[in-house]
Amino acid sequence: MAKTLGERNTRQKQAIRDAFVRAGRPLATEEVHRAAQTVSAGLGLATVYRSIRSLLEEGWLAVVDVPGRNPLYEIAGKGHHHHFSCTNCARVYEFEGCATVDAKPPRGFKTTGHDLTLFGTCAACNGTSRKATAS
Amino acid sequence: MAKTLGERNTRQKQAIRDAFVRAGRPLATEEVHRAAQTVSAGLGLATVYRSIRSLLEEGWLAVVDVPGRNPLYEIAGKGHHHHFSCTNCARVYEFEGCATVDAKPPRGFKTTGHDLTLFGTCAACNGTSRKATAS
DNA sequence: TTGTATGCAAAGCGTTTGCAGTGAT
DNA sequence: ATCACTGCAAACGCTTTGCATACAA
């Protein structure tokens, strides 16, 4: 049905994978485009979209849907975790296994999963961290 | 800056408000359009968007952002609650104050709010409820 | 050499906006 | 009679797709 090619190891796709590895946080398509372009000049936006989709299908990437933003993508296989969306710098971080969700949906509803996003200001914006930067 | 008009009580806007009242659950723009059109024939999509935005600004509506779907809207002022997204029928329900979120973000991060969505199958899809319908 | 992956440009889709006409006040 | 609101269609921003070319294999 969905032919999942992605069998060739091209310069472009490698540049895109590297962008995620280097960033260490969820990235938007446009950020990926910019980052990967510094390595693979002339990289087309369409290729970014196609590669991201392909990496999603092969399970290397995962979608991060934060309310109010365009979808972000992050390297998959990190185990259950949630996201923190900084309302000041608009950056999204992930934090591993630090949230407990005790959800009780109405009777008759079967819960199979959940999605949690925290909002607030990040360490960098709070000036609480000495090394405050990101890409 | 943002001139929040919405001072006239038109047939169209009333039809849109009614659609939300009757539905009793978060609606997508297209659903609102369809529902309101049965009352106000010839209703334009642009008017639906404009009215929804206006109702958001006056605080009558609130955005419901469910991962993977286009934004939904619901009547505001219902107090803190969360949403349940049925992975079978794609409908979204709200459930009031039944979730406890114990979130511990990284040090230096200040949390001011959160957003939780549960995924699973709803009562209607589970056949667990005798009155299983919605609009 | 073969055919996947790329780059570009056109097309799609949901949402917004410009404009002239409609209708609430 | 005014002027906000409406409907239509064009414009937009983001994402996808068609097609000829480039390059991994």
Side-chain angles (χ1 to χ4, degrees):
Chain A
M1 187 177 197
K3 228 203 265 185
T4 312
L5 299 176
E7 44 196 45
R8 282 186 190 175
N9 190 18
T10 63
R11 184 168 53 87
Q12 292 83 335
K13 188 170 292 179
Q14 193 50 54
I16 290 170
R17 264 188 287 253
D18 288 350
F20 282 104
V21 173
R22 262 182 284 115
R25 62 177 178 84
L27 297 178
T29 310
E30 187 44 50
E31 294 178 297
V32 176
H33 189 205
R34 241 181 295 119
Q37 238 171 2
T38 67
V39 173
S40 180
L43 210 202
L45 228 201
T47 298
V48 174
Y49 279 103
R50 277 187 284 232
S51 298
I52 287 179
R53 180 195 284 221
S54 151
L55 291 169
L56 282 172
E57 283 172 359
E58 67 184 67
W60 197 85
L61 279 181
V63 186
V64 177
D65 246 305
V66 174
R69 297 207 200 328
N70 287 339
L72 306 178
Y73 304 91
E74 68 181 1
I75 296 175
K78 296 194 174 181
H80 190 64
H81 65 277
H82 296 291
H83 296 94
F84 184 100
S85 175
C86 181
T87 53
N88 185 56
C89 68
R91 229 167 290 163
V92 172
Y93 302 82
E94 62 174 68
F95 57 95
E96 309 122 32
C98 306
T100 302
V101 176
D102 175 15
K104 293 165 194 153
R107 277 163 302 105
F109 286 60
K110 282 176 191 158
T111 306
T112 60
H114 65 257
D115 184 290
L116 172 69
T117 303
L118 299 184
F119 294 95
T121 47
C122 70
C125 288
N126 290 332
T128 308
S129 148
R130 41 258 130 186
K131 52 191 302 286
T133 18
S135 68
Chain B
M1 189 177 194
K3 226 204 260 183
T4 312
L5 300 176
E7 43 197 45
R8 282 182 190 180
N9 190 19
T10 64
R11 183 169 52 88
Q12 292 84 335
K13 188 171 292 180
Q14 192 51 54
I16 289 170
R17 264 189 288 253
D18 288 350
F20 282 104
V21 173
R22 263 182 284 117
R25 62 178 177 84
L27 296 178
T29 311
E30 186 44 50
E31 295 179 294
V32 176
H33 189 207
R34 242 182 295 120
Q37 237 172 2
T38 68
V39 173
S40 181
L43 210 203
L45 230 200
T47 298
V48 173
Y49 279 103
R50 276 188 283 233
S51 298
I52 286 179
R53 181 196 284 222
S54 153
L55 290 169
L56 282 172
E57 284 173 358
E58 68 184 65
W60 196 84
L61 278 182
V63 186
V64 177
D65 246 305
V66 174
R69 297 206 201 329
N70 286 338
L72 305 178
Y73 304 92
E74 67 181 2
I75 297 175
K78 295 193 174 181
H80 189 64
H81 66 277
H82 297 291
H83 297 94
F84 184 99
S85 176
C86 181
T87 53
N88 185 57
C89 68
R91 230 168 286 164
V92 172
Y93 302 82
E94 62 174 67
F95 58 95
E96 309 122 33
C98 307
T100 302
V101 176
D102 174 15
K104 293 166 194 151
R107 275 163 302 105
F109 285 60
K110 282 177 190 156
T111 306
T112 59
H114 65 258
D115 183 291
L116 172 69
T117 303
L118 298 184
F119 293 95
T121 47
C122 69
C125 288
N126 289 332
T128 308
S129 145
R130 37 268 122 186
K131 51 188 303 286
T133 18
S135 68

